[in-house]
Amino acid sequence: MESLDEEHMRLALGEAALALEEDEVPAGAAILRGRELLALAHNRVRATGNPTAHGEMLAIAAAAERVGDWRLCGCTLYCTKEPCPMCAGACVMARLDRVVYGIADPAMGCLGGGPCDLSRMAHFNHRFPVQGGILAEDCLALLRNFFLPKRGKRQG
């Protein structure tokens, strides 16, 4: 039986698939408060020309607008890839209760799988639990489908 985290990660995977169709880095995000879906988003950096248009950032903004508060207490962010420094910082600032991601990002991840973990920094006024590895193979497959053809073009 599929866990609730897996069920919710499938929402983020659906968004990542949309990003892949749009030739964006296939990263998707979903924010839920309990079982209530507040926001879905995916990377839109190329489409908007905005380097901050990561799926996590867009989902956080949409969820805050929906609840009418910048504080997303009681909410969980599901994202297909470990958040970068910008997105991890937004998770702290939004006061998310929890973050669940698919695959770690050893180069840029900032929630424990990469060079730092902003969710546990003692001097910050908000900390939260992080769970990685949920549907990791599915999340990785989307990223491979995006990057492998592009890298092949550069090598050949």
Side-chain angles (χ1 to χ4, degrees), residues 82-86 88-89 105 108-120:
E82 180 183 6
C84 71
M86 172 182 66
D105 183 347
M108 292 292 290
C110 284
L111 289 182
C116 69
D117 187 348
L118 297 184
S119 70
R120 301 185 196 286

Side-chain angles (χ1 to χ4, degrees), residues 121-136:
M121 297 194 100
H123 59 279
F124 285 176
N125 64 352
H126 181 70
R127 288 175 289 290
F128 51 88
V130 175
Q131 173 71 46
I134 303 299
L135 300 180

Side-chain angles (χ1 to χ4, degrees), residues 10-100:
R10 290 206 185 281
L11 297 170
L13 275 163
E15 287 294 309
L18 292 174
L20 182 62
E21 290 174 15
E22 297 170 9
D23 200 32
E24 297 274 359
V25 173
I31 296 182
L32 288 98
R33 184 171 48 193
R35 289 185 172 263
E36 178 189 10
L37 177 62
L38 298 178
L40 289 172
H42 58 274
N43 280 4
R44 307 253 318 130
V45 172
R46 292 179 62 151
T48 63
N50 178 349
T52 70
H54 290 195
E56 300 94 330
M57 298 293 286
L58 298 172
I60 288 169
E65 185 174 333
R66 176 149 181 206
V67 300
D69 193 346
W70 60 270
R71 293 175 201 88
L72 296 176
C73 302
C75 296
T76 299
L77 168 68
Y78 292 86
C79 46
T80 55
K81 188 172 87 45
E82 180 183 6
C84 71
M86 172 182 66
C87 296
C91 292
V92 172
M93 299 304 292
R95 310 297 195 268
L96 287 167
D97 274 15
R98 184 170 173 248
V99 173
V100 178

